[in-house]
Amino acid sequence: MLRLIRLYQRVLRLPGARICTLSTSVYRLRSISIDLGSLAAPVIDRSFPSTTTSPSTNPRRLQHTMVQPVTVTVAATGRKITVPTGLFINNEFVPSIDSSEKIECINPATEEVICSIVAGSTKDIDAAVAAARKAYKTTWGKKVTGFERSRLLNKLADLIERDAQELAELESLNNGKPVKIARDFDIGDSVACLRYYAGWADKILGQTIEVDNNTKFAFTRHDPIGVCGQIIPWNYPINMWSWKVAPALACGCTIVMKPSEITPLTALKLSELVVEAGFPPGVVNTVPSLGSVGGAALSSHMDVDKVAFTGSTVTGRRIMEAAAKSNLKKVSLELGGKSPNIVFESADLDQAANWVGLGILYNTGQDCTAGSRLFVQASIYDKFIPLLVEKFKQLKVGDGFDEASGGGPVVSKMQHDKIFSYIEKGKAEGAKAILGGEKRAGKGYYVDPTIFVDTTPEMSIVRDEIFGPVLAVAKFTTEEEVIELANDTTYGLGAGLHSNDANQCMRVSQALEAGTVWVNQYNMLTNNAPFGGKKQSGIGRELGSYALEEYTSIKAVHWNYGEKLDWPL
């Protein structure tokens, strides 16, 4: 634990900052993965042919082929990483049934292509769903015990822990985040998440309900809901994979995973470990594709029982609409946010500044719960803002393979351009940038920490989710005033407050309209506590025992053992 605390202090360069993170415990830093940096340009070994004929047969294809991997060499470490490039269906990496489209994976630190992978089509989604349905009916679902599900989940966690360094380097190449953060926080927490739900797999219980002690009773079963489509984002590829996979498998569901087309590489690499762990074919399937293809197909599929999505509110609406218009499948959504972070005059200002920095700068602000709206009490404003500026300057944004870097590039050119469009809007609408706000020269999608003051509620940088390291600051005078300001948003994912007045902490945490409220900290989550949003930030909950409800269907069984029915009525 002490090692991770010291690492965290080095990551953010914030003196005295501490983090309650255990290497394999349920405690974790909420890293909704940005793209912190790996500037090391990959060298691609294309010595393998794209496909080779396999001696086995597969009825889903006229000609059964296996797509071969490429080998990527990480320049900074010399590590050679074998990267799968096919669609993962029935425990095999296969080509598309009917598409020759490819997805180019870009290193956001160098703007260079890492490799290309197969882009799945609607027919490929159909094949993956069919594989998942067959597995659900034959080798998984109600056909396997909770003890066996637990064993396999623990084995998968062990394999991910074994390969943590390799996975972290691949994550850094494709996503940009520092290797140390990917390894020690994202992957460390993913291992803990899988182990947490492995513990639940044989403890999914129903109720025995008294009806009439002389003649009948009822009981409930929490059955696996079935085939689940899971759509995960680019900002947190490995950790979001674990959040979705772990509870679903613990409950006995089968999965068709659609990773983001921007960051699909670690999801494919994790699929190799699914096979090594011993999961039967079809239990977990991975189909990289464009969201408009794979995501749309899963959402509207008549044989998918549930879809789970993490991403934007706009896309979440489309998924919910498609689910409703198809088979009314169950939906859980973790969507956007524009979270308030409040600093009251009684707060420890140095610690509050550290947590504000973590809230908006971790993962270069590419975090659904990013504390992007800061409210500072007027009596301490002039003292707090210079302190905050100094803290922000201490964070190094650079090469993900540099141990000193606490941040890296944002994930793509599109995201880079979007963030700077909001920075320009902020300036045009009258806000004052007192730090950052200027583009860097050279390669890499870098955005430096940016602070705007003199903001007003109607400004775009205050209303809209930017998903970058851009902080909008405003003053407030009274507790009642700041509660009104904080809740003046269509979102409700996260919120934070900093105060040493215990009564105030209770009042304000109760009044804030958010699924998660942090008191004297920010962006810290634990695997055993639920996470999710209110308002337009989502539906359903992830993590904790609450996530099991998203992947189970409750059946009531009424048993008559003594009543005789007279007939006719």
Side-chain angles (χ1 to χ4, degrees), residues 299-300 318-329 331:
S299 302
S300 60
R318 293 173 184 159
I319 288 170
M320 196 168 186
E321 180 181 10
K325 288 182 175 179
S326 53
N327 60 344
L328 278 174
K329 60 179 64 65
V331 175

Side-chain angles (χ1 to χ4, degrees), residues 18-20 27-28 341-342 351-352 354-356 358-359 495-499 517-526:
R18 296 190 296 174
I19 176 174
C20 298
Y27 285 100
R28 59 175 285 276
N341 206 352
I342 305 167
Q351 276 297 299
N354 288 346
W355 289 110
V356 170
L358 177 66
L497 68 114
H498 307 268
S499 170
V517 177
W518 290 282
V519 180
N520 293 325
Q521 59 178 335
Y522 202 91
N523 260 357
M524 302 296 294
L525 296 175
T526 63

Side-chain angles (χ1 to χ4, degrees), residues 77-124:
T77 64
R79 180 184 297 274
K80 294 182 182 294
I81 304 176
T82 303
V83 179
T85 61
L87 310 176
F88 182 70
I89 300 174
N90 263 329
N91 279 11
E92 297 177 328
F93 290 99
V94 296
S96 172
I97 292 174
D98 63 342
S99 174
S100 60
E101 295 294 320
K102 300 291 184 182
I103 295 172
E104 286 194 338
C105 301
I106 307 296
N107 181 339
T110 64
E111 305 179 32
E112 297 177 355
V113 176
I114 302 168
C115 63
S116 297
I117 64 169
V118 176
S121 68
T122 298
K123 287 187 178 180
D124 296 317

Side-chain angles (χ1 to χ4, degrees), residues 337-340 368-369 492-496 513-518 522 531-533 537:
K338 192 66 180 177
S339 301
C368 294
T369 59
L493 192 58
E513 296 172 356
T516 297
V517 177
W518 290 282
Y522 202 91
F531 174 75
S537 286

Side-chain angles (χ1 to χ4, degrees), residues 290-403:
L290 298 178
S292 58
V293 178
L298 283 172
S299 302
S300 60
H301 206 288
M302 295 299 292
D303 202 28
V304 170
D305 301 301
K306 183 253 167 61
V307 62
F309 170 73
T310 297
S312 72
T313 299
V314 170
T315 303
R317 284 195 184 97
R318 293 173 184 159
I319 288 170
M320 196 168 186
E321 180 181 10
K325 288 182 175 179
S326 53
N327 60 344
L328 278 174
K329 60 179 64 65
K330 189 171 185 176
V331 175
S332 59
L333 304 171
E334 195 257 276
L335 307 177
K338 192 66 180 177
S339 301
N341 206 352
I342 305 167
V343 180
F344 288 99
E345 59 188 0
S346 67
D348 178 328
L349 298 189
D350 186 73
Q351 276 297 299
N354 288 346
W355 289 110
V356 170
L358 177 66
I360 187 60
L361 299 183
Y362 190 75
N363 280 339
T364 318
Q366 296 171 123
D367 188 324
C368 294
T369 59
S372 54
R373 293 185 297 141
L374 175 64
F375 300 99
V376 182
Q377 198 151 21
S379 58
I380 57 169
Y381 184 90
D382 291 339
K383 181 179 180 180
F384 185 75
I385 296 303
L387 174 63
L388 187 66
V389 169
E390 184 59 31
K391 298 283 188 180
F392 275 40
K393 288 179 178 179
Q394 292 167 2
L395 179 70
K396 179 179 179 180
V397 178
D399 186 341
F401 286 83
D402 182 350
E403 282 291 315

